[in-house]
Amino acid sequence: MKKIFVINGGQVFGHSGGRFNKTIADATQAFFGAKEGYEVRYTDINSDYVPEKEVENFVWADTVIYHTPVWWFGLPHGFKKYLDVVFTAGQGKGIYRSDGRKAENPAVNYGTGGMLQGRKYLLTTSWNAPATAFTLPGEFFQEKSVDEGVLFGFHRMNAFTGMTPLESLHFHDVEKNADINTDLNRYNAHLEKVFKN
């Protein structure tokens, strides 16, 4: 059995009901539930969680699938808190040992103390910004992709744990020009491609 840990980081806060990311997270569970050979665990950051149990989920999983909106060019505060609390609880318990450096030469090997080697992660994000804000010359994100720009730190965080990325998928313009059916079709096709083996 391949083990998938799905995290819905779509926080319910202010005018956001978290519906888009909940829909994508539900689609993830349905996708793997319909396939043989997969076992799925699920966490919604809006619900109560036990940090030690969440650590166990990361250690258990072959693949972690994160779903998050991007608010003010970062993670929602509830999702960030979840990661801070859970990863701190995971020190020496399966997520990371240390930052990887040794006292005799502390200038090198930072970020090599992760304990989740061999595991993968997949990231989806949702944005009010249109895709063209990242790709067109002169537009807001200066032709930097989501993964190389705003969420570079998120990817380095996962590298710190030892995980390696699968291809991300980003949903754009979901507030003003939402097309959930098209987005769900894109997402299911993405999962089929990434998990074809």
Side-chain angles (χ1 to χ4, degrees):
M1 294 287 278
K2 292 187 179 176
K3 297 171 285 191
I4 309 292
F5 178 33
V6 180
I7 302 172
N8 175 15
Q11 184 176 345
V12 178
F13 175 78
H15 69 278
S16 174
R19 291 180 302 279
F20 183 88
N21 284 278
K22 174 79 165 75
T23 300
I24 298 298
D26 289 348
T28 307
Q29 293 180 86
F31 176 87
F32 291 107
K35 295 199 174 293
E36 288 192 30
Y38 289 96
E39 185 179 350
V40 177
R41 292 185 184 178
Y42 175 76
T43 289
D44 184 325
I45 61 100
N46 298 285
S47 300
D48 291 337
Y49 53 84
V50 176
E52 293 75 18
K53 176 65 175 167
E54 299 304 301
V55 170
E56 181 185 309
N57 289 335
F58 275 91
V59 173
W60 167 85
D62 298 311
T63 302
V64 176
I65 300 180
Y66 299 105
H67 301 295
T68 185
V70 175
W71 291 359
W72 291 108
F73 317 110
L75 301 179
H77 60 273
F79 186 27
K80 179 65 167 75
K81 178 182 177 184
Y82 169 88
L83 292 168
D84 289 347
V85 168
V86 172
F87 282 16
T88 299
Q91 183 177 14
K93 295 184 175 80
I95 293 183
Y96 70 103
R97 278 182 306 281
S98 68
D99 69 12
R101 297 178 295 162
K102 306 280 189 240
E104 58 272 10
N105 191 359
V108 298
N109 295 320
Y110 178 81
T112 60
M115 300 172 78
L116 295 177
Q117 283 83 11
R119 286 139 178 111
K120 309 274 187 196
Y121 72 95
L122 186 148
L123 170 65
T124 75
T125 64
S126 57
W127 295 76
N128 174 52
T132 51
F134 298 86
T135 59
L136 292 179
E139 285 298 312
F140 188 77
F141 291 100
Q142 302 174 342
E143 298 178 76
K144 294 260 191 296
S145 73
V146 171
D147 298 298
E148 294 171 334
V150 173
L151 289 180
F152 177 80
F154 181 86
H155 289 294
R156 298 321 300 154
M157 172 199 77
N158 282 282
F160 191 98
T161 72
M163 289 194 285
T164 56
L166 297 168
E167 183 183 349
S168 300
L169 185 66
H170 308 293
F171 301 101
H172 296 282
D173 215 358
V174 300
E175 283 197 35
K176 292 186 175 68
N177 291 301
D179 185 347
I180 192 65
N181 291 328
T182 297
D183 286 338
L184 284 170
N185 289 336
R186 277 182 63 224
Y187 182 54
N188 280 313
H190 185 74
L191 290 176
E192 289 286 359
K193 179 179 79 168
V194 171
F195 292 95
K196 65 178 176 269
N197 297 325

